[in-house]
Structures are given as structure tokens and as C-alpha cells.
């Protein structure tokens, strides 16, 4: 309700306002017109009736809940972050079939032409000459032909020669890769070979391959007698995004290898690839140098068994095989990398190497790209030759 003063008591002007007597008694309600606020009165009555009907105030609670705004839809979860690409991607591998195109179009094409008939119709003298021309080697070609003639394979002369060539390849463990022989230490590969065979390039491609597979790799520039080899290895290390340990030209190769092993252990590296002797002067000097490196490896990693891999240029044929034999006699090779196989029509050198040395071919190079250094698969190689 509200209070309204009677009209006859209202002052007409500000100057006519009566004096305020502070000692006057409190005003009587009778002096005012009292008008109830109908809205307030109605609301009060309704509230009192509702309270009697719903003493628990449940209806009011339901109404308040229904009046609440609808809850917002749950926010969609944030998108999954894209997986980060590995720091080093393994480059696409080359094509072995395409890499052996020249070999198939060279001596293998002539060989299959002479083997087109049955065992009795084959021109075995021509087969022998073709194998010799394909870098299989004279004595080995004669032995292959003799055994193939006696074999009398139901599949014909071609099947007989194919089986005899495949038998020349040495047994090997599947999916070979360098492994550490000392707990807590890296695997070690010593790479040797004559200058000009693609040795340093092969090391760079191997580093890129293993780094792309997620292994931490460190290079050692221990071919210190050729300054260009150190610079070239640095370029490949930058390309493969792997560290390299190098000293000044003409430094002690053993000291380079020791420092590389020391760095590899400190960094927890998985693999050390050392570029070593790049020349074939005298066996005694070569043996002394590599023997010293081996002693240093054993001193830093007692019990380590490094791989010693020889890089051979396939275009050098039997001359390259003679070089491989000299290194094998001096240092004991554990593997071969055959480069430039795509540049020659004489792929028979693979059979001669494995037969004469008893050492497996680990990789073959079939192009210039990093991915063109392929792990050697004997079955795939023979199939590609006779495709």
C-alpha cells in the first residue's frame, strides 16, 4: 500500500510551508487516506492459498527448474593432433628389375637365347662363352656348364643353368642388419675399398638408410689420406642429418675411429660407420693400418666384432674381384657392396664374388638416388636376371 496526504493539508507554495515542530507528536494514520495496493493484496492472497495447497513448495520448485535455460551442448573434443613426421624419412627404394635392365639386355639375353631348346639342343659351348663374357669367370663358367649338362633338369637347359647359378650364392641370415656385439655399445662397420668405387657415397647412402629406419648413426672420416674423402663425407653427413667425427687431413685414422667410438658411446648412438683405407698400395701397409684400427676398437669396446665391408664397382668385373680378394686376404671381409650394377651388362660378377670369396653381398647399387642402394636378396636377384 502507499500513503497519500490529504489535499487540504498540502502547502500551496514553498514559502507557505508550515514551520516544522520537532516536538510535535507522531502523525495519526487517520490524517491520511489509506488505499490498499490491489495487486499486492492479490499476490499475497494467492501466495497464502498456494502455501496451504502445497506446503512443500514442490510446484514452485518444478516451475523454477523448468524455467532454467537448456544446458549448452557439450563442446566437441579438440581434434587429435597430427602425428609428427619422423625427423628422417626413408627415401623410396629403387627398382631392382629396372636396375638390372642392362644385364638382362646384355649377356642374359644372349644366354637365354642359347638355352632356348631342351638339354640336348642347347649350345653349351656358346653358354660357356656367354657366362665368361658376363664376368662369371672362366673356370667357374666351365664348372657351371658341366654341372648343368649333367643335371638334365626337367625344366630344360635354362632351368638347369639357373639352378646352378643360384647355388653359387652363399647362405645368409635373412633381414641382416649390423648389430652391436657389446652391451651398451654401438654396432660398428668398417668400410674399405679402392678410391673411385663409390665407397664414400655408399657410406652416405647407408647412413641415410639406417637413419631413416630410426637408428642413430655416427660417421667417422678415417680415410684421412685423401682430403676430398673427408669433405665428401661431411656433405653426405649433412644430407643424411647425422653427425660426423673428422680430423685434419693426414691425421691418424686410428685416432679418428677412437674419437668416433667415444662420441657414439657418450651419445648412445646405435651405429658407427667408419670410412677407412681408400687405397690398395701394399698388403703389409694396408694390413697394419686396419689391424691398428681393429685394436683401437677392441680397446674402446672390448669384445666388439665390427663388420668389414668392401665396396666393389661392378663395372670393373674380374679386376674388381682381384681387389676384393686382396682385401679379404688382408683384413677378412664380412660383406660386399656392389655398386653401379645398373651401369653394366655383366651382372655375373655377383656369382663370382660370392663363390670365390664365400662372402655375402649385402647391398647392390642400381642408381644414383639414396634409395637406389638396395639390400641384396639372392632369390630376387636371380629372378630379376631371368625375368
Amino acid at each position: 500500500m502507499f500513503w497519500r496526504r490529504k489535499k487540504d493539508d498540502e502547502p500551496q507554495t514553498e514559502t507557505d510551508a508550515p514551520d516544522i515542530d520537532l516536538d510535535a507528536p507522531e502523525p495519526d494514520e487517520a490524517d491520511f487516506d489509506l488505499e490498499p495496493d490491489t495487486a499486492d493484496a492479490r499476490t499475497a492472497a494467492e501466495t497464502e492459498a498456494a502455501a496451504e495447497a502445497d506446503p512443500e513448495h514442490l510446484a514452485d520448485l518444478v516451475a523454477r527448474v523448468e524455467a532454467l535455460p537448456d544446458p549448452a551442448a557439450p563442446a566437441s573434443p579438440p581434434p587429435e593432433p597430427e602425428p609428427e613426421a619422423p625427423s628422417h624419412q626413408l627415401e623410396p627404394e629403387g627398382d631392382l628389375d629396372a636396375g638390372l635392365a642392362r644385364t638382362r639386355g646384355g649377356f642374359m639375353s644372349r644366354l637365354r637365347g642359347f638355352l632356348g631348346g631342351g638339354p640336348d639342343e642347347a649350345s653349351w659351348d656358346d653358354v660357356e662363352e656367354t657366362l665368361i663374357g658376363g664376368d662369371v669367370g672362366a673356370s667357374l663358367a666351365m664348372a657351371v656348364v658341366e654341372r648343368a649338362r649333367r643335371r638334365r633338369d626337367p625344366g630344360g637347359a635354362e632351368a638347369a643353368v639357373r639352378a646352378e647359378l643360384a647355388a653359387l650364392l652363399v647362405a645368409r641370415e635373412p633381414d641382416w642388419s649390423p648389430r652391436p656385439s657389446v652391451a651398451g655399445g654401438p654396432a660398428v662397420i668398417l668400410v674399405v675399398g679402392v678410391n673411385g668405387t663409390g665407397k664414400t657415397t655408399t657410406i652416405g647412402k647407408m647412413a641415410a638408410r639406417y637413419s631413416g629406419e630410426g637408428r642413430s648413426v655416427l660417421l667417422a672420416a678415417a680415410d684421412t689420406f685423401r682430403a676430398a674423402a673427408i669433405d665428401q663425407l661431411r656433405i653426405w653427413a649433412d644430407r643424411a642429418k647425422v653427425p660426423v667425427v673428422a680430423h685434419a687431413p693426414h691425421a691418424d685414422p686410428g685416432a679418428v675411429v677412437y674419437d668416433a667410438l667415444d662420441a657414439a658411446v657418450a651419445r648412445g648412438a646405435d651405429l658407427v660407420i667408419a670410412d677407412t683405407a681408400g687405397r690398395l698400395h701394399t698388403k703389409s701397409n694396408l694390413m697394419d693400418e686396419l689391424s691398428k684400427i681393429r685394436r683401437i676398437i677392441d680397446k674402446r669396446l672390448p669384445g666388439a666384432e665390427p663388420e668389414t665391408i668392401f665396396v666393389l664397382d661392378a663395372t670393373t668385373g674380374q679386376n674388381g674381384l682381384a681387389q676384393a680378394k686382396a682385401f679379404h686376404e688382408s683384413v677378412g671381409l664380412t660383406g660386399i657392396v656392389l655398386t653401379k650394377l645398373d651401369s653394366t651388362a655383366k651382372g655375373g660378377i655377383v656369382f663370382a664374388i660370392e663363390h670365390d670369396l664365400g662372402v655375402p653381398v649385402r647391398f647392390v647399387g642400381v642408381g644414383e638416388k639414396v634409395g637406389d642402394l638396395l639390400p641384396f636378396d639372392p632369390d630376387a636377384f636371380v629372378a630379376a636376371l631371368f625375368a
Side-chain angles (χ1 to χ4, degrees):
M1 61 180 61
F2 62 91
W3 300 84
R4 185 176 65 190
R5 185 182 295 275
K6 295 180 180 180
K7 293 182 179 180
D8 54 356
D9 293 337
E10 293 178 358
Q12 301 299 317
T13 64
E14 184 175 354
T15 56
D16 296 332
D19 294 333
I20 297 175
D21 185 0
L22 298 178
D23 296 327
E26 291 291 330
D28 188 354
E29 291 185 3
D31 296 335
F32 297 90
D33 293 331
L34 299 178
E35 295 182 1
D37 189 332
T38 57
D40 289 345
R42 186 169 55 252
T43 301
E46 291 175 355
T47 300
E48 182 177 355
E52 293 178 357
D54 186 9
E56 299 294 334
H57 303 287
L58 296 179
D60 181 59
L61 179 61
V62 171
R64 291 178 181 230
V65 171
E66 290 179 347
L68 293 175
D70 292 335
S76 58
E80 292 288 336
E82 292 292 332
E84 294 185 2
S87 56
H88 309 305
Q89 294 283 357
L90 183 61
E91 294 196 20
E93 283 195 351
D95 187 345
L96 180 63
D97 288 339
L100 295 177
R102 289 194 178 185
T103 297
R104 279 198 306 272
F107 96 96
M108 285 303 300
S109 178
R110 295 191 299 274
L111 180 65
R112 298 184 68 185
F114 295 130
L115 295 172
D120 297 329
E121 301 176 14
S123 176
W124 292 109
D125 289 342
D126 291 332
V127 169
E128 182 179 308
E129 291 181 7
T130 304
L131 290 174
I132 295 172
D135 276 340
V136 173
S139 60
L140 187 56
M142 293 173 61
V144 167
V145 167
E146 184 61 28
R147 288 195 295 266
R149 292 179 65 176
R150 293 199 308 264
R151 191 181 189 95
R152 302 190 67 82
D153 195 294
E158 180 176 323
V161 171
R162 177 173 177 168
E164 291 299 330
L165 288 174
L168 299 176
L169 302 177
V170 301
R172 70 203 70 210
E173 57 182 312
D175 301 324
W176 172 89
S177 66
R179 301 181 181 90
S181 52
V182 177
V188 182
I189 298 179
L190 303 178
V191 183
V192 298
V194 178
N195 290 335
T197 59
K199 177 170 59 74
T200 307
T201 298
T202 295
I203 293 172
K205 291 180 178 181
M206 290 173 63
R209 164 176 285 276
Y210 289 126
S211 178
E213 292 176 355
R215 303 175 72 172
S216 55
V217 182
L218 187 144
L219 303 183
D223 187 2
T224 60
F225 290 93
R226 187 170 68 94
I230 300 174
D231 295 336
Q232 187 180 5
L233 194 65
R234 282 196 175 106
I235 293 172
W236 271 105
D238 290 341
R239 182 175 179 182
K241 296 181 175 60
V242 300
V244 59
V245 173
H247 290 185
H250 304 290
D252 182 5
V256 177
V257 173
Y258 186 92
D259 288 349
L261 295 176
D262 214 31
V265 171
R267 302 178 187 184
D270 300 316
L271 175 63
V272 173
I273 306 177
D275 185 7
T276 62
R279 62 210 175 283
L280 184 63
H281 32 280
T282 65
K283 288 184 181 180
S284 59
N285 290 343
L286 176 64
M287 186 64 174
D288 290 344
E289 181 177 310
L290 292 178
S291 294
K292 179 181 177 181
I293 291 176
R294 285 178 177 273
R295 290 195 302 271
I296 287 173
I297 294 174
D298 190 62
K299 179 180 180 181
R300 186 60 186 82
L301 298 174
E305 299 177 0
E307 298 279 347
T308 304
I309 293 182
F310 179 80
V311 178
L312 189 150
D313 183 344
T315 62
T316 59
Q318 290 295 310
N319 289 334
L321 178 57
Q323 296 170 358
K325 286 181 178 179
F327 274 87
H328 188 42
E329 292 171 0
S330 298
V331 299
L333 304 178
T334 61
I336 303 289
V337 175
L338 194 62
T339 64
K340 307 178 187 178
L341 194 59
D342 59 313
S343 302
T344 178
K346 300 179 179 183
I349 189 64
V350 174
F351 302 104
I353 289 170
E354 295 215 358
H355 176 267
D356 290 4
L357 300 182
V359 175
V361 173
R362 298 299 190 189
F363 291 97
V364 291
V366 293
E368 297 297 328
K369 299 189 297 295
V370 172
D372 289 334
L373 184 68
L374 306 178
F376 182 72
D377 183 338
D379 295 335
F381 177 74
V382 175
L385 286 180
F386 285 87

